[in-house]
mmCIF file of all heavy atoms in Angstrom:
data_model
loop_
_atom_site.group_PDB
_atom_site.id
_atom_site.type_symbol
_atom_site.label_atom_id
_atom_site.label_comp_id
_atom_site.label_asym_id
_atom_site.label_seq_id
_atom_site.Cartn_x
_atom_site.Cartn_y
_atom_site.Cartn_z
ATOM 1 N N THR H 130 -189.545 -55.220 36.554
ATOM 2 C CA THR H 130 -190.594 -55.678 35.635
ATOM 3 C C THR H 130 -191.617 -54.584 35.383
ATOM 4 O O THR H 130 -192.029 -54.347 34.239
ATOM 5 C CB THR H 130 -191.278 -56.929 36.215
ATOM 6 O OG1 THR H 130 -190.306 -57.976 36.384
ATOM 7 C CG2 THR H 130 -192.379 -57.419 35.298
ATOM 8 N N VAL H 131 -192.040 -53.902 36.450
ATOM 9 C CA VAL H 131 -193.010 -52.819 36.304
ATOM 10 C C VAL H 131 -192.442 -51.699 35.441
ATOM 11 O O VAL H 131 -193.112 -51.166 34.551
ATOM 12 C CB VAL H 131 -193.409 -52.276 37.693
ATOM 13 C CG1 VAL H 131 -194.266 -51.024 37.551
ATOM 14 C CG2 VAL H 131 -194.165 -53.340 38.478
ATOM 15 N N LEU H 132 -191.189 -51.344 35.681
ATOM 16 C CA LEU H 132 -190.569 -50.262 34.918
ATOM 17 C C LEU H 132 -190.440 -50.617 33.438
ATOM 18 O O LEU H 132 -190.632 -49.771 32.562
ATOM 19 C CB LEU H 132 -189.200 -49.941 35.512
ATOM 20 C CG LEU H 132 -189.231 -49.306 36.913
ATOM 21 C CD1 LEU H 132 -187.840 -49.296 37.527
ATOM 22 C CD2 LEU H 132 -189.800 -47.904 36.866
ATOM 23 N N LEU H 133 -190.125 -51.881 33.150
ATOM 24 C CA LEU H 133 -190.044 -52.319 31.755
ATOM 25 C C LEU H 133 -191.409 -52.218 31.078
ATOM 26 O O LEU H 133 -191.519 -51.780 29.926
ATOM 27 C CB LEU H 133 -189.525 -53.755 31.678
ATOM 28 C CG LEU H 133 -188.008 -53.946 31.793
ATOM 29 C CD1 LEU H 133 -187.667 -55.418 31.857
ATOM 30 C CD2 LEU H 133 -187.298 -53.291 30.608
ATOM 31 N N GLN H 134 -192.439 -52.625 31.786
ATOM 32 C CA GLN H 134 -193.785 -52.566 31.223
ATOM 33 C C GLN H 134 -194.212 -51.130 30.934
ATOM 34 O O GLN H 134 -195.009 -50.886 30.025
ATOM 35 C CB GLN H 134 -194.774 -53.229 32.187
ATOM 36 C CG GLN H 134 -194.590 -54.735 32.304
ATOM 37 C CD GLN H 134 -195.442 -55.338 33.405
ATOM 38 O OE1 GLN H 134 -195.985 -54.626 34.248
ATOM 39 N NE2 GLN H 134 -195.561 -56.663 33.408
ATOM 40 N N GLN H 135 -193.681 -50.163 31.681
ATOM 41 C CA GLN H 135 -194.016 -48.759 31.484
ATOM 42 C C GLN H 135 -193.050 -48.060 30.539
ATOM 43 O O GLN H 135 -193.172 -46.861 30.311
ATOM 44 C CB GLN H 135 -194.036 -48.037 32.839
ATOM 45 C CG GLN H 135 -195.045 -48.591 33.835
ATOM 46 C CD GLN H 135 -196.470 -48.480 33.318
ATOM 47 O OE1 GLN H 135 -196.779 -47.597 32.523
ATOM 48 N NE2 GLN H 135 -197.330 -49.383 33.770
ATOM 49 N N GLY H 136 -192.068 -48.820 30.007
ATOM 50 C CA GLY H 136 -191.142 -48.242 29.046
ATOM 51 C C GLY H 136 -190.016 -47.428 29.653
ATOM 52 O O GLY H 136 -189.317 -46.702 28.936
ATOM 53 N N ASP H 137 -189.803 -47.545 30.953
ATOM 54 C CA ASP H 137 -188.742 -46.782 31.625
ATOM 55 C C ASP H 137 -187.483 -47.646 31.676
ATOM 56 O O ASP H 137 -187.163 -48.273 32.682
ATOM 57 C CB ASP H 137 -189.198 -46.404 33.038
ATOM 58 C CG ASP H 137 -188.256 -45.423 33.715
ATOM 59 O OD1 ASP H 137 -187.151 -45.213 33.195
ATOM 60 O OD2 ASP H 137 -188.637 -44.874 34.764
ATOM 61 N N LEU H 138 -186.758 -47.689 30.559
ATOM 62 C CA LEU H 138 -185.614 -48.582 30.428
ATOM 63 C C LEU H 138 -184.473 -48.194 31.353
ATOM 64 O O LEU H 138 -183.814 -49.064 31.939
ATOM 65 C CB LEU H 138 -185.127 -48.589 28.973
ATOM 66 C CG LEU H 138 -183.952 -49.535 28.656
ATOM 67 C CD1 LEU H 138 -184.328 -50.968 28.984
ATOM 68 C CD2 LEU H 138 -183.547 -49.385 27.199
ATOM 69 N N ASN H 139 -184.221 -46.905 31.522
ATOM 70 C CA ASN H 139 -183.091 -46.470 32.351
ATOM 71 C C ASN H 139 -183.238 -46.942 33.796
ATOM 72 O O ASN H 139 -182.310 -47.508 34.385
ATOM 73 C CB ASN H 139 -182.963 -44.943 32.308
ATOM 74 C CG ASN H 139 -182.444 -44.440 30.977
ATOM 75 O OD1 ASN H 139 -181.796 -45.185 30.237
ATOM 76 N ND2 ASN H 139 -182.732 -43.186 30.668
ATOM 77 N N ASN H 140 -184.414 -46.717 34.365
ATOM 78 C CA ASN H 140 -184.612 -47.121 35.753
ATOM 79 C C ASN H 140 -184.764 -48.638 35.884
ATOM 80 O O ASN H 140 -184.420 -49.213 36.913
ATOM 81 C CB ASN H 140 -185.826 -46.405 36.342
ATOM 82 C CG ASN H 140 -185.495 -44.979 36.749
ATOM 83 O OD1 ASN H 140 -184.535 -44.745 37.473
ATOM 84 N ND2 ASN H 140 -186.277 -44.038 36.264
ATOM 85 N N ALA H 141 -185.279 -49.288 34.844
ATOM 86 C CA ALA H 141 -185.335 -50.751 34.862
ATOM 87 C C ALA H 141 -183.927 -51.323 34.921
ATOM 88 O O ALA H 141 -183.646 -52.273 35.663
ATOM 89 C CB ALA H 141 -186.071 -51.266 33.625
ATOM 90 N N ASN H 142 -183.008 -50.741 34.138
ATOM 91 C CA ASN H 142 -181.616 -51.176 34.179
ATOM 92 C C ASN H 142 -180.991 -50.906 35.547
ATOM 93 O O ASN H 142 -180.199 -51.703 36.058
ATOM 94 C CB ASN H 142 -180.805 -50.466 33.089
ATOM 95 C CG ASN H 142 -180.999 -51.095 31.724
ATOM 96 O OD1 ASN H 142 -181.211 -52.291 31.603
ATOM 97 N ND2 ASN H 142 -180.948 -50.275 30.669
ATOM 98 N N ALA H 143 -181.351 -49.771 36.139
ATOM 99 C CA ALA H 143 -180.809 -49.435 37.458
ATOM 100 C C ALA H 143 -181.289 -50.425 38.515
ATOM 101 O O ALA H 143 -180.522 -50.874 39.371
ATOM 102 C CB ALA H 143 -181.210 -48.010 37.835
ATOM 103 N N ALA H 144 -182.581 -50.786 38.466
ATOM 104 C CA ALA H 144 -183.124 -51.755 39.421
ATOM 105 C C ALA H 144 -182.487 -53.126 39.221
ATOM 106 O O ALA H 144 -182.143 -53.821 40.189
ATOM 107 C CB ALA H 144 -184.646 -51.843 39.282
ATOM 108 N N ASP H 145 -182.312 -53.511 37.949
ATOM 109 C CA ASP H 145 -181.676 -54.788 37.658
ATOM 110 C C ASP H 145 -180.235 -54.789 38.140
ATOM 111 O O ASP H 145 -179.750 -55.785 38.702
ATOM 112 C CB ASP H 145 -181.724 -55.049 36.151
ATOM 113 C CG ASP H 145 -181.082 -56.381 35.781
ATOM 114 O OD1 ASP H 145 -181.616 -57.435 36.186
ATOM 115 O OD2 ASP H 145 -180.035 -56.373 35.097
ATOM 116 N N GLY H 146 -179.539 -53.674 37.939
ATOM 117 C CA GLY H 146 -178.156 -53.580 38.384
ATOM 118 C C GLY H 146 -178.036 -53.693 39.892
ATOM 119 O O GLY H 146 -177.094 -54.317 40.406
ATOM 120 N N LYS H 147 -178.981 -53.104 40.622
ATOM 121 C CA LYS H 147 -178.951 -53.188 42.083
ATOM 122 C C LYS H 147 -179.179 -54.615 42.551
ATOM 123 O O LYS H 147 -178.496 -55.091 43.467
ATOM 124 C CB LYS H 147 -180.025 -52.265 42.662
ATOM 125 C CG LYS H 147 -179.945 -52.101 44.166
ATOM 126 C CD LYS H 147 -178.688 -51.395 44.584
ATOM 127 C CE LYS H 147 -178.656 -51.142 46.084
ATOM 128 N NZ LYS H 147 -177.411 -50.478 46.518
ATOM 129 N N ALA H 148 -180.115 -55.320 41.930
ATOM 130 C CA ALA H 148 -180.357 -56.716 42.294
ATOM 131 C C ALA H 148 -179.124 -57.569 42.008
ATOM 132 O O ALA H 148 -178.756 -58.434 42.818
ATOM 133 C CB ALA H 148 -181.576 -57.251 41.542
ATOM 134 N N ARG H 149 -178.492 -57.339 40.866
ATOM 135 C CA ARG H 149 -177.285 -58.091 40.525
ATOM 136 C C ARG H 149 -176.155 -57.789 41.518
ATOM 137 O O ARG H 149 -175.407 -58.679 41.913
ATOM 138 C CB ARG H 149 -176.831 -57.747 39.105
ATOM 139 C CG ARG H 149 -177.739 -58.295 38.001
ATOM 140 C CD ARG H 149 -177.292 -57.801 36.636
ATOM 141 N NE ARG H 149 -178.126 -58.314 35.569
ATOM 142 C CZ ARG H 149 -177.920 -59.462 34.951
ATOM 143 N NH1 ARG H 149 -176.869 -60.211 35.296
ATOM 144 N NH2 ARG H 149 -178.736 -59.872 33.995
ATOM 145 N N GLU H 150 -176.042 -56.544 41.900
ATOM 146 C CA GLU H 150 -175.011 -56.138 42.864
ATOM 147 C C GLU H 150 -175.185 -56.866 44.193
ATOM 148 O O GLU H 150 -174.219 -57.348 44.786
ATOM 149 C CB GLU H 150 -175.094 -54.629 43.067
ATOM 150 C CG GLU H 150 -174.141 -54.068 44.106
ATOM 151 C CD GLU H 150 -174.387 -52.597 44.346
ATOM 152 O OE1 GLU H 150 -174.492 -51.841 43.344
ATOM 153 O OE2 GLU H 150 -174.487 -52.188 45.518
ATOM 154 N N MET H 151 -176.446 -56.970 44.654
ATOM 155 C CA MET H 151 -176.705 -57.644 45.924
ATOM 156 C C MET H 151 -176.471 -59.147 45.805
ATOM 157 O O MET H 151 -175.956 -59.780 46.741
ATOM 158 C CB MET H 151 -178.122 -57.339 46.395
ATOM 159 C CG MET H 151 -178.288 -55.916 46.910
ATOM 160 S SD MET H 151 -179.899 -55.602 47.663
ATOM 161 C CE MET H 151 -180.916 -55.441 46.210
ATOM 162 N N ASN H 152 -176.841 -59.738 44.668
ATOM 163 C CA ASN H 152 -176.563 -61.162 44.460
ATOM 164 C C ASN H 152 -175.058 -61.432 44.478
ATOM 165 O O ASN H 152 -174.595 -62.430 45.059
ATOM 166 C CB ASN H 152 -177.159 -61.634 43.130
ATOM 167 C CG ASN H 152 -178.607 -62.071 43.254
ATOM 168 O OD1 ASN H 152 -178.956 -62.830 44.158
ATOM 169 N ND2 ASN H 152 -179.458 -61.603 42.352
ATOM 170 N N GLN H 153 -174.289 -60.538 43.855
ATOM 171 C CA GLN H 153 -172.843 -60.696 43.828
ATOM 172 C C GLN H 153 -172.261 -60.563 45.230
ATOM 173 O O GLN H 153 -171.370 -61.327 45.626
ATOM 174 C CB GLN H 153 -172.216 -59.652 42.888
ATOM 175 C CG GLN H 153 -170.699 -59.699 42.816
ATOM 176 C CD GLN H 153 -170.171 -61.032 42.289
ATOM 177 O OE1 GLN H 153 -170.815 -61.665 41.461
ATOM 178 N NE2 GLN H 153 -169.013 -61.448 42.780
ATOM 179 N N GLU H 154 -172.764 -59.598 45.983
ATOM 180 C CA GLU H 154 -172.277 -59.418 47.359
ATOM 181 C C GLU H 154 -172.584 -60.655 48.193
ATOM 182 O O GLU H 154 -171.755 -61.106 48.987
ATOM 183 C CB GLU H 154 -172.904 -58.185 47.994
ATOM 184 C CG GLU H 154 -172.370 -57.904 49.388
ATOM 185 C CD GLU H 154 -172.912 -56.623 49.977
ATOM 186 O OE1 GLU H 154 -174.160 -56.470 50.024
ATOM 187 O OE2 GLU H 154 -172.113 -55.771 50.405
ATOM 188 N N ASN H 155 -173.770 -61.228 48.022
ATOM 189 C CA ASN H 155 -174.125 -62.432 48.783
ATOM 190 C C ASN H 155 -173.195 -63.589 48.454
ATOM 191 O O ASN H 155 -172.846 -64.385 49.332
ATOM 192 C CB ASN H 155 -175.575 -62.822 48.504
ATOM 193 C CG ASN H 155 -176.553 -61.994 49.311
ATOM 194 O OD1 ASN H 155 -176.162 -61.051 49.981
ATOM 195 N ND2 ASN H 155 -177.832 -62.342 49.246
ATOM 196 N N SER H 156 -172.802 -63.709 47.182
ATOM 197 C CA SER H 156 -171.900 -64.805 46.805
ATOM 198 C C SER H 156 -170.537 -64.655 47.476
ATOM 199 O O SER H 156 -169.857 -65.643 47.743
ATOM 200 C CB SER H 156 -171.741 -64.865 45.277
ATOM 201 O OG SER H 156 -171.030 -63.741 44.794
ATOM 202 N N VAL H 157 -170.148 -63.402 47.754
ATOM 203 C CA VAL H 157 -168.878 -63.150 48.427
ATOM 204 C C VAL H 157 -168.998 -63.341 49.934
ATOM 205 O O VAL H 157 -168.115 -63.918 50.579
ATOM 206 C CB VAL H 157 -168.370 -61.726 48.115
ATOM 207 C CG1 VAL H 157 -167.119 -61.395 48.928
ATOM 208 C CG2 VAL H 157 -168.073 -61.578 46.626
#
Side-chain angles (χ1 to χ4, degrees):
T130 300
V131 172
L132 292 168
L133 279 174
Q134 291 172 346
Q135 300 299 332
D137 189 348
L138 182 59
N139 288 337
N140 281 308
N142 280 328
D145 180 65
K147 189 66 176 179
R149 289 175 179 272
E150 176 186 312
M151 287 187 283
N152 273 312
Q153 178 61 32
E154 184 176 54
N155 280 7
S156 68
V157 174

